[in-house]
Amino acid sequence: WILGIVVGLMVACFAAIIIIVSSYDYNKLKPEIKKWVKSATGRELTINGDIGLKIGFWPSLVVQDVALQNAPWGSRAEMVKIKKFEVQVEFLSLVKGDINVRNMVLVNPDILIETNKSGKSNLEFEPPDRPKELPGEKKGEVEDRARLPILEFKELKIINGNITYKDGQSGRSHTVRIEAFSLAAKAFSRPAKIQMECVYKDIPFEITGTIGQLAAILDPSVDWPLDLKGHIFETRLTVAGKIKDPKGLKGFDLTVSVQGND
């Protein structure tokens, strides 16, 4: 009887938590999320769909039709357009009213990375409210305070998306279709494992390996290491080394090896 009562109470509490979490109007988070993005990037985030909750072992916040504003000089209004955006969160954090992100899933994203004629990249965000360095504080600590909370995740997945790169100096553009993409790290400040299946000009290829910490990808003062292996038809490709400034696409120090059967 005691065991039955304890189990019954646990089930009742769990059911009550699910009901409370499910009944919350997550659209109330929209203004705060937009504020976070604007503060961290200087760009506007558009959320056209409702924010809903998908119940599971790891509950997910799901929103349709999301877009991030491009740089003012960009060739189109949106830098990123996402048909469906899922954010897996820790269950207990929702109960407390917080959002602790575990995984992010982008379905049918359309991502544009481009430079202008002077070589400036649209990855160079200009936050309007960047925190000032406090006495005795290091640059990395300032960046930690400025970082967007919801963008700290342990795994990122992309399903059926496109990434386009436009070179403003040469006028050339290249589009890669992503069929499957996975980026996972134990922490936002740790190296990440990458795995992707893509198609470029009707040529399929696969890439696996490791890259530097996600927290430093936009910091030109930190070297960004990578160790990648690719497979295109019967050709094997390896790239290892570091990039000084990934967002500016500068400072490449890489060793490249290509091997084929003939």
Side-chain angles (χ1 to χ4, degrees):
W1 277 105
I2 293 175
L3 179 61
I5 291 173
V6 170
V7 172
L9 287 173
M10 291 176 62
V11 171
C13 289
F14 186 71
I17 291 174
I18 291 179
I19 292 173
I20 293 172
V21 171
S22 300
S23 60
Y24 182 78
D25 183 8
Y26 291 96
N27 286 312
K28 294 179 180 179
L29 297 173
K30 283 186 179 182
E32 191 66 22
I33 293 174
K34 293 179 179 180
K35 181 181 176 182
W36 282 344
V37 174
K38 181 71 173 182
S39 176
T41 66
R43 312 270 182 89
E44 296 288 346
L45 180 72
T46 303
I47 304 176
N48 293 319
D50 290 332
I51 300 178
L53 179 70
K54 184 169 72 174
I55 295 294
F57 186 77
W58 295 109
S60 299
L61 295 176
V62 182
V63 60
Q64 310 280 347
D65 195 6
V66 180
L68 178 65
Q69 184 183 16
N70 198 4
W73 48 262
S75 59
R76 74 179 191 193
E78 303 89 3
M79 176 181 172
V80 180
K81 295 185 290 185
I82 305 172
K83 185 176 181 180
K84 182 179 178 182
F85 185 41
E86 292 190 19
V87 181
Q88 285 188 348
V89 295
E90 295 179 357
F91 192 81
L92 291 179
S93 71
L94 285 179
V95 177
K96 296 177 182 178
D98 299 324
I99 303 177
N100 293 336
V101 177
R102 288 182 56 83
N103 303 332
M104 299 174 67
V105 181
L106 312 182
V107 180
N108 297 132
D110 183 7
I111 303 169
L112 172 63
I113 299 175
E114 61 180 336
T115 59
N116 59 18
K117 292 183 178 180
S118 63
K120 185 176 182 179
S121 171
N122 65 343
L123 289 173
E124 297 183 29
F125 300 110
E126 298 177 357
D129 304 317
R130 180 174 294 278
K132 296 182 179 179
E133 187 174 320
L134 300 176
E137 190 175 34
K138 298 179 180 179
K139 181 178 179 181
E141 295 171 338
V142 179
E143 296 296 332
D144 286 341
R145 289 195 289 113
R147 190 174 301 135
L148 187 61
I150 201 170
L151 286 183
E152 297 212 9
F153 53 87
K154 294 181 179 178
E155 184 174 10
L156 169 67
K157 292 184 178 179
I158 296 177
I159 303 173
N160 295 331
N162 290 319
I163 294 183
T164 300
Y165 172 69
K166 287 186 176 182
D167 189 323
Q169 295 176 327
S170 67
R172 296 178 181 176
S173 64
H174 308 274
T175 299
V176 175
R177 188 173 80 249
I178 300 175
E179 296 184 344
F181 175 92
S182 174
L183 186 66
K186 292 182 179 180
F188 204 68
S189 58
R190 299 285 297 276
K193 293 183 178 179
I194 186 172
Q195 183 173 359
M196 56 192 300
E197 298 177 8
C198 306
V199 177
Y200 176 67
K201 292 186 176 180
D202 297 326
I203 301 175
F205 64 93
E206 300 177 3
I207 294 177
T208 59
T210 59
I211 59 176
Q213 55 177 299
L214 302 175
I217 191 171
L218 298 180
D219 187 354
S221 66
V222 179
D223 289 344
W224 201 65
L226 70 162
D227 187 358
L228 304 175
K229 295 181 180 179
H231 189 266
I232 305 174
F233 293 126
E234 299 299 323
T235 303
R236 294 169 295 282
L237 172 71
T238 63
V239 179
K242 60 185 178 181
I243 303 175
K244 183 67 177 178
D245 183 7
K247 74 173 183 179
L249 300 174
K250 297 180 293 186
F252 290 86
D253 183 9
L254 305 173
T255 300
V256 181
S257 173
V258 181
Q259 186 178 33
N261 293 333
D262 56 38

